[in-house]
C-alpha cells in the first residue's frame, strides 16, 4: 500500500480510493467528489473528525509561525480555514493566496472568507502539481488535507518546494497511519462504517465519503511521505503525529540559497 | 555521545514556538539569529534521554530532533540544570549552572545564552511541565497536551512586558477563540455520540427484524 518514490512512473492507472482508474480520470473524479461536498464541507469536516480537525489546524498554524509581512500560499485550501488565520497573521504588509483546483470549493471559500471579514486576498484556481507562481516567491506553503487527493504527489511536492523562498517552509497536514493497532482498528470501524453513513444522512452523498475513507488508507504513511519530501529537495523534514497518528503534520524547509 | 534518543517532535515544536515568540519581540535578536545561521546547538536532557537540535536563521530558530550535521556545541545535563542557564547570566554570573556539561564551541553557547537573556526566555517555563512522573509522556503525547501547550504559551505571553502588547491583543483574541471552539467541539462530540447510539439501535432493530421467524 505504501508508495515507493523510486518507482518509475507507474502505468497509466492510479488509485481512486480503492479503485484503479486511468490517471487522466482521477483528477476528474476527485473534482466530482469535492464539487459534490462543497456546500456541506465544513459541517462534514466537523462530524468526520468530531471537531478535532480544528485542533489539528491550530497546531499547523502555531508551527508555521507566520509573521507580519510574510507571503503564504495555501494549496488545496478549499473553504479557507488555514487561509483565514494566516491572513490575520501576515497583516497588511503580507499576503496570503488561497488556491485550489476546484472552482466550487474556491467559491465556497471566498464566500466564507468574506462573511468572516477577510477581503481582498487573491484566490487562484491551480493544480498543486504545477503551481502557476514564480520560483522562490513564498515564505510558507501549506497543504491541508489536500495531498492525498493529488494524482502525482511527487510532482506536487516539487512544485511546492519550487515556489518557496530559501529558508521557507512547507507544512503538509494529512491523515496518516495510526501508531497503535487498537486505535487503528477502532478508526477503521469509524471511518468505514460510521463515516459513509454520516455522509449519507448529512451530506446525502455516501459515495463521496466512502472515497474519503478509502483515499486516507491509500495515502503514504508517515515515513514514506517524509522520504518523498526529502526526494523533492526539502530538508530538516520532521513528522509530528497528532491524535495517535490519525493525522500527521510533515514540515520541511527549502534551505539552498 | 550517549544513549540519547530523538526527543518527541511535539516537545521540539513546543520549544520552537515558545522561543520564536520571544525572539520575535526584538529585531536585534533576530539579527543575531541570522548571524548565527552557520551554528547549531544540541541539547541533551539526561534522564529523559532526549536530544534536540537548535538551528538559527533570520526568522528565529528551528528545533528538530535529528540533524545530519554535527552541532557546533552540545549541552548535556539533567533537565532542571537547563532552567538556570539564562537566568544566571542575566544576574551577571557567566558560569554554567551546576550539572551542565559542554562539548564543542563554548563561544557559540555564550552567544546563545546572551540571546536568551536579552529576550528574557527562561528554559524553566519549558522544562518544568515536562518533569514529574509520566509528565514527559503526557506532554509529548496526545491532544490534551497540545491544547494545554497552546494555552500555556499564551499565558506566558500575557505575563510579559509591554512590548508584547501588539502581539498579545492578537493572542488574547485567539485565547477566546480557543475556548469557544472547544465548546463547539464538545457539542459536536455529543451529537456524534447520539448519532452513533441511534445507529446502533437501528442496526439492532434491523437484525431482529431480519432474523428468521
Ligand atoms: C479535504 S479538502 C481540504 C480543504 C482545506 N484545506 C481544509 O483543510 O479544510 C481537499 C481539497 O483538495 C483539493 N484538490 C484536490 N486535488 C487537487 C490538486 N491536484 N491540486 C490542488 N487542489 C486539489 C480539492 O478540490 C479540495 O478542495
Amino acid at each position: 500500500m505504501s508508495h515507493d518514490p523510486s518507482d518509475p512512473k507507474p502505468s497509466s492507472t492510479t488509485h481512486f480510493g480503492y479503485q484503479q482508474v486511468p490517471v487522466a480520470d482521477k483528477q476528474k473524479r476527485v473534482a466530482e467528489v469535492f464539487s459534490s461536498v462543497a456546500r456541506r464541507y465544513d459541517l462534514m469536516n466537523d462530524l468526520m473528525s468530531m471537531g478535532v480537525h480544528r485542533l489539528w489546524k491550530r497546531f499547523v498554524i502555531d508551527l508555521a509561525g507566520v509573521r507580519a509581512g510574510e507571503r503564504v500560499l495555501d494549496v488545496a485550501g478549499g473553504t479557507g480555514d488555514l487561509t483565514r488565520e494566516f491572513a490575520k497573521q501576515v497583516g497588511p504588509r503580507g499576503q496570503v493566496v488561497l488556491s485550489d483546483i476546484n472552482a466550487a470549493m474556491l467559491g465556497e471559500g471566498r464566500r466564507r472568507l468574506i462573511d468572516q471579514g477577510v477581503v481582498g486576498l487573491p484566490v487562484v484556481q491551480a493544480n498543486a502539481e504545477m503551481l502557476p507562481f514564480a520560483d522562490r516567491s513564498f515564505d510558507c506553503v501549506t497543504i491541508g488535507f489536500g495531498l492525498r487527493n493529488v494524482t502525482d504527489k511527487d510532482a506536487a511536492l516539487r512544485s511546492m518546494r519550487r515556489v518557496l523562498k530559501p529558508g521557507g517552509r512547507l507544512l503538509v497536514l494529512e491523515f496518516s497511519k495510526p501508531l497503535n493497532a487498537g486505535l487503528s482498528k477502532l478508526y477503521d470501524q469509524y471511518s468505514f462504517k460510521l463515516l459513509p453513513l454520516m455522509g449519507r444522512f448529512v451530506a446525502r452523498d455516501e459515495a463521496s465519503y466512502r472515497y474519503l475513507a478509502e483515499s486516507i488508507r491509500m495515502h503514504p504513511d508517515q515515513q514514506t511521505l517524509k522520504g518523498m519530501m526529502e526526494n523533492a529537495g526539502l530538508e530538516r523534514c520532521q513528522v509530528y503525529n497528532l491524535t495517535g497518528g490519525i493525522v500527521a503534520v510533515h514540515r520541511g524547509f527549502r534551505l539552498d540559497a | 555521545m550517549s544513549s540519547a534518543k530523538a526527543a518527541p517532535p511535539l516537545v521540539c515544536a513546543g520549544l520552537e514556538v515558545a522561543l520564536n515568540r520571544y525572539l520575535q519581540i526584538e529585531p536585534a535578536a533576530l539579527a543575531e539569529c541570522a548571524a548565527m545561521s552557520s551554528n547549531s546547538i544540541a541539547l541533551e536532557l539526561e534522564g529523559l534521554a532526549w536530544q534536540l537540535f537548535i538551528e538559527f536563521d533570520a526568522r528565529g530558530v528551528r528545533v528538530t530532533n535529528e540533524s545530519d550535521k554535527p552541532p557546533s556545541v552540545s549541552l548535556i545535563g539533567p533537565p532542571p540544570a537547563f532552567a538556570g542557564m539564562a537566568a544566571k547570566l542575566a544576574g551577571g554570573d557567566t558560569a554554567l549552572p551546576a550539572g551542565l556539561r559542554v562539548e564543542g564551541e563554548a563561544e557559540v553557547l555564550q552567544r546563545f545564552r546572551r540571546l536568551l537573556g536579552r529576550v528574557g526566555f527562561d528554559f524553566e517555563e519549558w522544562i518544568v511541565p515536562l518533569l514529574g512522573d509520566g509528565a514527559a509522556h503526557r506532554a509529548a503525547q496526545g491532544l490534551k497536551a497540545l491544547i494545554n501547550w497552546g494555552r500555556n504559551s499564551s499565558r506566558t505571553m500575557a505575563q510579559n512586558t509591554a512590548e508584547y502588547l501588539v502581539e498579545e491583543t492578537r493572542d488574547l483574541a485567539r485565547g477566546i477563540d480557543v475556548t469557544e471552539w472547544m465548546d463547539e467541539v464538545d457539542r459536536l462530540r455529543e451529537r456524534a455520540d447520539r448519532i452513533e447510539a441511534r445507529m446502533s439501535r437501528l442496526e439492532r432493530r434491523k437484525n431482529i427484524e431480519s432474523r428468521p421467524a
Side-chain angles (χ1 to χ4, degrees):
Chain A
M1 110 154 211
S2 74
H3 171 111
D4 177 358
S6 64
D7 248 7
K9 242 324 30 22
S11 55
S12 55
T13 69
T14 184
H15 53 82
F16 174 77
Y18 286 169
Q19 306 169 38
Q20 281 295 314
V21 299
V23 166
D25 268 20
K26 169 157 174 164
Q27 202 164 301
K28 196 173 114 250
R29 296 211 186 187
V30 169
E32 284 164 9
V33 168
F34 285 105
S35 298
S36 151
V37 301
R39 292 311 297 272
R40 285 171 174 266
Y41 177 75
D42 292 298
L43 173 62
M44 280 308 295
N45 239 347
D46 277 329
L47 282 174
M48 265 174 80
S49 68
M50 314 220 166
V52 180
H53 74 105
R54 292 160 190 256
L55 205 52
W56 297 331
K57 285 174 181 160
R58 181 79 257 155
F59 178 73
V60 170
I61 289 154
D62 279 343
L63 190 67
V66 167
R67 309 272 167 87
E70 288 193 314
R71 280 197 89 212
V72 180
L73 173 65
D74 187 12
V75 177
T79 51
D81 281 1
L82 292 172
T83 298
R84 176 171 13 105
E85 285 305 310
F86 291 140
K88 290 186 208 158
Q89 293 175 325
V90 298
R93 285 185 301 116
Q95 185 180 52
V96 186
V97 178
L98 170 63
S99 84
D100 197 287
I101 200 170
N102 188 303
M105 288 294 276
L106 278 181
E108 195 61 28
R110 194 201 307 255
R111 198 169 18 250
R112 303 205 55 206
L113 287 173
I114 292 173
D115 279 353
Q116 289 152 344
V118 183
V119 287
L121 56 79
V123 173
V124 179
Q125 189 170 1
N127 184 345
E129 295 165 15
M130 36 194 152
L131 294 167
F133 303 103
D135 292 6
R136 301 180 158 90
S137 50
F138 291 96
D139 298 285
C140 179
V141 175
T142 55
I143 179 165
F145 302 115
L147 192 61
R148 71 173 187 282
N149 301 300
V150 172
T151 314
D152 187 343
K153 297 175 182 46
D154 296 300
L157 291 169
R158 283 195 302 272
S159 170
M160 292 187 286
R161 177 188 175 277
R162 179 185 63 74
V163 302
L164 276 178
K165 293 179 191 173
R169 61 271 187 213
L170 168 68
L171 283 90
V172 179
L173 169 64
E174 192 51 271
F175 288 99
S176 205
K177 196 164 174 278
L179 301 173
N180 92 37
L183 181 61
S184 187
K185 220 164 152 193
L186 200 76
Y187 179 54
D188 273 349
Q189 291 283 325
Y190 164 73
S191 51
F192 286 110
K193 298 223 166 103
L194 200 56
L195 195 62
L197 271 177
M198 291 201 286
R200 185 197 306 165
F201 293 126
V202 182
R204 310 199 191 302
D205 185 1
E206 186 174 352
S208 290
Y209 284 89
R210 192 171 302 284
Y211 159 74
L212 292 183
E214 291 175 2
S215 70
I216 289 167
R217 295 313 185 291
M218 297 301 287
H219 190 67
D221 65 16
Q222 285 87 334
Q223 284 315 308
T224 310
L225 179 54
K226 181 170 184 252
M228 289 164 69
M229 287 174 66
E230 286 162 352
N231 282 345
L234 290 152
E235 297 181 66
R236 305 292 187 275
C237 297
Q238 178 100 54
V239 184
Y240 306 85
N241 283 301
L242 305 179
T243 317
I246 288 181
V247 304
V249 175
H250 283 67
R251 183 181 65 172
F253 292 83
R254 174 179 193 160
L255 290 183
D256 64 345
Chain B
M1 252 190 306
S2 59
S3 59
K5 305 179 299 253
L10 291 182
V11 167
C12 297
L15 179 60
E16 180 186 293
V17 171
L19 263 173
N20 281 334
R21 282 183 180 161
Y22 278 82
L23 292 169
Q24 226 188 131
I25 314 163
E26 260 205 62
L30 289 180
E32 174 66 358
C33 288
M36 290 177 72
S37 65
S38 60
N39 300 124
S40 65
I41 295 176
L43 305 182
E44 193 177 315
L45 278 62
E46 283 173 346
L48 298 167
W50 289 347
Q51 205 167 27
L52 301 91
F53 297 89
I54 304 177
E55 287 183 287
F56 303 85
D57 73 5
R59 301 185 59 264
V61 295
R62 283 190 294 268
V63 181
T64 52
N65 65 7
E66 54 179 26
S67 173
D68 44 21
K69 68 172 196 201
S72 323
V73 60
S74 299
L75 249 188
I76 306 148
F82 286 81
M85 196 168 66
K88 283 190 73 177
L89 190 68
D93 182 353
T94 53
L96 273 178
L100 274 193
R101 289 200 318 282
V102 180
E103 289 172 7
E105 299 172 44
E107 174 49 25
V108 174
L109 177 62
Q110 287 308 71
R111 280 176 83 176
F112 181 54
R113 290 180 70 197
R114 279 197 296 272
L115 188 63
L116 296 178
R118 167 186 243 157
V119 296
F121 182 88
D122 193 334
F123 269 94
E124 193 167 356
E125 284 176 22
W126 175 71
I127 299 261
V128 166
L130 302 180
L131 302 180
D133 274 350
H137 182 74
R138 280 200 302 281
Q141 310 249 314
L143 229 43
K144 257 235 171 76
L146 203 61
I147 303 169
N148 288 336
W149 164 60
R151 287 190 170 159
N152 288 341
S153 46
S154 48
R155 185 151 14 105
T156 312
M157 302 274 301
Q159 286 160 357
N160 275 285
T161 53
E163 276 160 298
Y164 270 84
L165 272 174
V166 191
E167 262 323 278
E168 210 181 34
T169 34
R170 200 165 60 204
D171 260 76
L172 285 179
R174 180 193 282 186
I176 298 164
D177 269 6
V178 170
T179 357
E180 211 173 276
W181 68 246
M182 295 229 338
D183 291 345
E184 266 177 66
V185 169
D186 287 341
R187 275 197 296 277
L188 271 164
R189 215 173 271 139
E190 278 167 26
R191 231 184 293 163
D193 285 347
R194 283 201 299 271
I195 295 183
E196 201 172 5
R198 192 174 315 159
M199 272 184 329
S200 45
R201 261 201 319 275
L202 285 173
E203 200 147 341
R204 245 176 296 142
R205 198 183 310 157
K206 204 177 90 199
N207 288 343
I208 294 171
E209 281 166 6
S210 60
R211 211 175 283 157

